[in-house]
Amino acid sequence: MKLMKQLIYTCVLMCCVMCSSCNDYLDIVPKGNKIPTTLADYEALLRDEYTIGQTSISNALYLLNDYYVTVSNLNSPTLTRANYMWDETADRILLNNADESTYYQLYAAISSCNLIIENVPSATEATDAERAEVIAYAKVIRSLCYFVLANYYADTYDAATAGEKRSVPLITSANINAPSQQVTIQAIYDFIIQGVQEAIGEGLPEQSMTVLHPNLGAAYALLARVYLQMQNYSEALNYANLALEQNDQLYDWNAYYDEHHSTIENPEDYTGLPTPTDYSYVENYYFRCGNGSPNYTTNELNIPVERAERFEEGDARFLSRWKLYSQNQDTYYRGVGNGYFNWGGLTTTEVYLIKAECQARLAQGGDFTEAMNTLNAVRQTRIRPEVYQPLTASTLTEAIELIRRTKDNELIFSIVPFADARRFNQEGTYARTMTKTYEGETYTLRPDSHLWTMPFPAGAINNPGNGSIQQNVSK
């Protein structure tokens, strides 16, 4: 890690030397550091998960009430409390007066990708095809980062207004003086799609170097996610099918449950169970850490009791990952899994469920059999055999609700349930008003609440670099 940080530091230094009129003394390489010149030097940046591989989205998880917050942490006015308690009177702009990891982690990753895209064409000790492959990896990662940023700090995509509403700053160079422009939602989506399509055209391989390098299946999966968010169901279905042609494996959580049955069914045993959702998970297209740290193993996140009640009966994945736990004032479902978690990447399960929704949306004559078959393919590997029954739907509303339930549960702690909720809220037909009871009082989160868009952190507004940023929310 120390060597990697030195490498990143010197990459930035090199950009200063190349792109600005620095003094001669900057041409001297600091002792113990290395200016990247070979393709291997640049490719190493893609393996530094601490800089390029994190996707922290804590406040989205708090707003969804997917991530439990203890009573003691709700006693003071903080950004966490405002989102978790759905407090529309709170000034979240004022509360977000410190650096927020979501913004800075993702733009740090984008900077590394920009550095690779700009400089790899002249990297030594490589063929043109090898250079193109590394550039393609960086373009997919950069597009994924912009998708998260756009669905966190800007309003959700609406074709009628996407060309007018502001999104997030678009930065395409690693130069420290590079211009930054806060573009429209349409412009950021166009850039995301263009980057992934360029990566596919430039030779993104079916089998990538490692799971930290997004493969061809990951590119198709990301396009399926993006087009679904744009409500372009035919294109989303097309790319979902292409992704599943690359990898359609599903992990057998029933087999996992059977293997660890004695620990899972012991209510007093909170021993950290090994999570299969790590680097070798058969469902991975691309592995990316979420709220966990890439430097060491972590525990599964805790979830509120009311959130746990939304899992399907007999869900082996739920039974294997959480147990009811009480301590002092707090009662919640404690995460018992331990290891590395692909909360920020791309998996086959997400693609199956994208495909299921698109099949339901595009179904002819009210026949939702294909959509339900796709959904049930996932459920068969999750729901205990003594409970499992294939689901059917007679209306689109019923099909969407069943697919959404599984998707929200399968992809908990990722950006997907948050982005999906915003999409359904914007569409209107399937919008939900969320409710909960806390200390005897009922709280609600309306689908049109301003809380669904996160405020930029103060550091970004006050120090926007070579550009300007306007807040996308009033508070």
Side-chain angles (χ1 to χ4, degrees):
M1 178 59 70
K2 180 178 180 181
L3 177 61
M4 187 62 69
K5 289 182 177 178
Q6 290 176 337
L7 180 59
I8 293 166
Y9 170 80
T10 52
C11 286
V12 176
L13 176 62
M14 185 188 71
C15 287
C16 294
V17 175
M18 294 173 60
C19 304
S20 62
S21 56
C22 300
N23 293 326
D24 290 342
Y25 67 82
L26 286 179
D27 293 326
I28 301 173
V29 180
K31 185 177 180 180
N33 289 298
K34 172 181 168 61
I35 290 180
T37 56
T38 70
L39 181 65
D41 293 336
Y42 288 105
E43 186 274 322
L45 296 175
L46 296 173
R47 301 172 187 256
D48 180 20
E49 292 182 83
Y50 185 83
T51 299
I52 205 170
Q54 294 191 77
T55 311
S56 175
I57 53 164
S58 295
N59 278 293
L61 304 183
Y62 296 144
L63 190 75
L64 290 174
N65 276 213
D66 281 352
Y67 187 0
Y68 182 73
V69 180
T70 62
V71 173
S72 61
N73 284 325
L74 294 175
N75 290 333
S76 57
T78 62
L79 184 62
T80 296
R81 186 188 188 284
N83 286 315
Y84 192 76
M85 298 306 299
W86 305 331
D87 185 358
E88 292 190 332
T89 67
D91 189 339
R92 295 182 304 157
I93 295 173
L94 180 63
L95 293 173
N96 197 10
N97 57 6
D99 289 355
E100 187 184 44
S101 57
T102 304
Y103 188 91
Y104 293 102
Q105 285 177 358
L106 289 169
Y107 274 109
I110 288 169
S111 181
S112 292
C113 291
N114 286 338
L115 185 73
I116 290 168
I117 294 165
E118 285 181 310
N119 293 285
V120 162
S122 60
T124 62
E125 300 182 22
T127 65
D128 288 343
E130 290 169 337
R131 294 186 191 95
E133 180 178 337
V134 171
I135 291 171
Y137 293 142
K139 286 185 175 180
V140 175
I141 294 172
R142 182 174 67 177
S143 287
L144 187 148
C145 291
Y146 272 121
F147 177 86
V148 176
L149 287 165
N151 281 279
Y152 198 84
Y153 294 110
D155 287 348
T156 196
Y157 185 91
D158 178 359
T161 60
E164 303 168 0
K165 288 188 175 181
R166 293 187 304 270
S167 185
V168 297
L170 177 60
I171 306 172
T172 59
S173 172
N175 185 337
I176 58 174
N177 293 314
S180 164
Q181 182 182 3
Q182 188 176 7
V183 298
T184 66
I185 295 172
Q186 185 65 57
I188 206 72
Y189 270 78
D190 289 344
F191 183 82
I192 290 167
I193 293 170
Q194 178 184 347
V196 182
Q197 290 178 335
E198 287 177 355
I200 295 171
E202 292 166 1
L204 193 68
E206 293 185 8
Q207 181 65 48
S208 56
M209 291 182 180
T210 74
V211 74
L212 300 177
H213 300 72
N215 58 23
L216 182 60
Y220 290 144
L222 180 55
L223 286 174
R225 178 192 288 183
V226 173
Y227 279 116
L228 179 68
Q229 197 67 23
M230 298 172 74
Q231 301 179 41
N232 186 334
Y233 305 116
S234 58
E235 282 296 287
L237 179 59
N238 174 50
Y239 284 110
N241 283 327
L242 289 171
L244 291 173
E245 287 177 9
Q246 295 294 314
N247 179 13
D248 63 357
Q249 293 187 74
L250 290 167
Y251 183 78
D252 189 346
W253 278 92
N254 279 313
Y256 178 90
Y257 176 92
D258 291 336
E259 180 183 356
H260 299 282
H261 177 267
S262 59
T263 302
I264 292 169
E265 290 301 324
N266 184 347
E268 304 301 323
D269 189 349
Y270 289 88
T271 303
L273 289 168
T275 176
T277 63
D278 57 10
Y279 301 98
S280 61
Y281 196 42
V282 297
E283 297 186 2
N284 288 336
Y285 292 114
Y286 167 55
F287 183 95
R288 187 178 182 86
C289 288
N291 276 48
S293 170
N295 297 325
Y296 49 86
T297 60
T298 58
N299 290 325
E300 184 81 78
L301 302 180
N302 304 321
I303 61 176
V305 172
E306 288 178 312
R307 177 63 184 86
E309 293 170 351
R310 298 208 298 274
F311 280 83
E312 188 175 350
E313 181 186 358
D315 189 330
R317 212 163 153 270
F318 170 75
L319 296 171
S320 301
R321 294 171 64 183
W322 293 281
K323 292 185 181 182
L324 189 63
Y325 181 80
S326 293
Q327 184 178 48
N328 300 325
Q329 297 174 283
D330 298 294
T331 297
Y332 54 92
Y333 276 82
R334 178 175 167 181
V336 294
N338 180 266
Y340 296 95
F341 301 90
N342 188 6
W343 290 325
L346 296 154
T347 64
T348 58
T349 293
E350 178 183 354
V351 176
Y352 270 100
L353 297 171
I354 290 173
K355 178 177 179 176
E357 181 179 341
C358 293
Q359 288 174 315
R361 299 274 192 173
L362 300 172
Q364 300 295 318
D367 183 359
F368 303 103
T369 303
E370 288 188 358
M372 292 298 100
N373 287 344
T374 303
L375 171 61
N376 287 325
V378 175
R379 294 179 59 252
Q380 280 185 303
T381 63
R382 270 60 175 171
I383 308 304
R384 297 298 297 154
E386 63 270 20
V387 177
Y388 175 82
Q389 291 292 330
L391 294 175
T392 60
S394 57
T395 66
L396 178 59
T397 298
E398 187 177 1
I400 294 295
E401 287 299 315
L402 292 172
I403 294 165
R404 186 177 179 183
R405 175 181 65 176
T406 295
K407 194 176 182 186
D408 284 350
N409 292 334
E410 285 287 329
L411 300 173
I412 191 171
F413 307 143
S414 77
I415 190 64
V416 173
F418 181 71
D420 275 354
R422 287 157 42 94
R423 173 169 60 89
F424 287 122
N425 289 344
Q426 184 276 323
E427 183 182 7
T429 305
Y430 309 105
R432 291 177 180 169
T433 296
M434 297 178 63
T435 62
K436 69 175 177 182
T437 301
Y438 183 81
E439 295 185 344
E441 292 190 35
T442 300
Y443 295 82
T444 62
L445 177 62
R446 296 175 292 106
D448 62 348
S449 173
H450 69 274
L451 297 176
W452 287 105
T453 299
M454 299 296 167
F456 289 117
I461 297 294
N462 298 331
N463 300 285
N466 187 9
S468 62
I469 304 175
Q470 296 182 49
Q471 278 289 3
N472 287 329
V473 291
S474 60
K475 60 182 178 180

